[in-house]
Amino acid sequence: MNPVIKAIVFDVGETLIDESRLALRWARRLGVTPLTLLGLIGAAAARGQGIEAALGLARPGLDVAAEQRRWASDEPDSLRSGFDADDLYPDVRAALAALQAAGLQVIISGNQPPEATPALAAMGLPADVICNSADLGFEKPDPRFFAAVIELAQGLPGQPAPSEIAYVGDRFDNDVLPVLAAGLKAIFLRRGIWGALGANQAASAGVAVVESLLELPALLAP
């Protein structure tokens, strides 16, 4: 018998946040067409690499951190590589609210820079905790990230065991393999480039694959 899930943790990029506008802004910044950058992101993802690798293909030798500093100086009031409520996927608020109404603790924790946590907090999302990698000091797939996530969940009412915590994300490398290794339940979201590429792997690993966050309340019902 599967354990009852008491807490659910969400990745951010391409799980809660549609990163399309972010990619378009980076394309303009680097002087390439949106199609070019999106194609490079897809190529990097197929090799198990993230967006920084794609940016390096768009501009060889690019120092992403240094470019972000220059960008902030050039456009201090723009979103640049950030996001706001307009970037939320349309199923997010309703799904998180339904999960809370069902009695689950809702946590948001992904690989994100320091600016992401206040940006998410400003959206007023139905979440009990928002605490990302920059706050935790570790990034996925580091096991210490998931140990910190477990600690976050166990600080909430119900004090769930690892097997009573689900992690929802769109990357097989970051959101399935290390999640299972940590003893949590993995749920794979087939959304975005990484979601499309990793769905078959997730299913082959016996992990539930969903197309929308709105499927979660029924999936996790005891």
Side-chain angles (χ1 to χ4, degrees), residues 92-112:
V92 172
R93 289 189 188 275
L96 269 58
L99 290 163
Q100 277 196 329
L104 278 74
Q105 305 293 336
V106 174
I107 299 170
I108 297 172
S109 192
N111 281 354
Q112 293 292 322

Side-chain angles (χ1 to χ4, degrees), residues 79-99:
L79 278 177
R80 302 183 301 280
S81 57
F83 51 77
D84 61 20
D86 289 340
D87 297 302
L88 278 175
Y89 274 106
D91 57 357
V92 172
R93 289 189 188 275
L96 269 58
L99 290 163

Side-chain angles (χ1 to χ4, degrees), residues 4 18 23 29 41 45 68 80 83 88 114-115 124 130 132 137 157 170 176 185 191 194 203 216 218-219:
V4 173
D18 181 345
R29 180 71 185 177
I41 292 172
Q68 286 179 314
R80 302 183 301 280
F83 51 77
L88 278 175
E115 301 80 10
I130 301 173
N132 291 297
D170 64 302
V176 172
K185 177 181 178 67
R191 177 135 82 192
W194 284 272
L216 295 174
L219 178 67

Side-chain angles (χ1 to χ4, degrees), residues 106-109 116-118 120-122 125 127-132 135 152:
V106 174
I107 299 170
I108 297 172
S109 192
T117 298
L120 288 162
L125 295 170
D128 298 284
V129 177
I130 301 173
C131 192
N132 291 297
D135 312 304
L152 286 175

Side-chain angles (χ1 to χ4, degrees), residues 32-89:
V32 299
T33 66
L35 182 60
T36 298
L37 185 57
L38 291 173
L40 293 174
I41 292 172
R47 296 195 302 229
Q49 299 172 320
I51 191 169
E52 288 199 2
L55 298 176
L57 291 170
R59 184 187 290 179
L62 176 70
D63 182 329
V64 174
E67 187 63 29
Q68 286 179 314
R69 290 192 293 271
R70 286 191 291 270
W71 200 356
S73 177
D74 294 342
E75 302 176 26
D77 298 323
S78 77
L79 278 177
R80 302 183 301 280
S81 57
F83 51 77
D84 61 20
D86 289 340
D87 297 302
L88 278 175
Y89 274 106

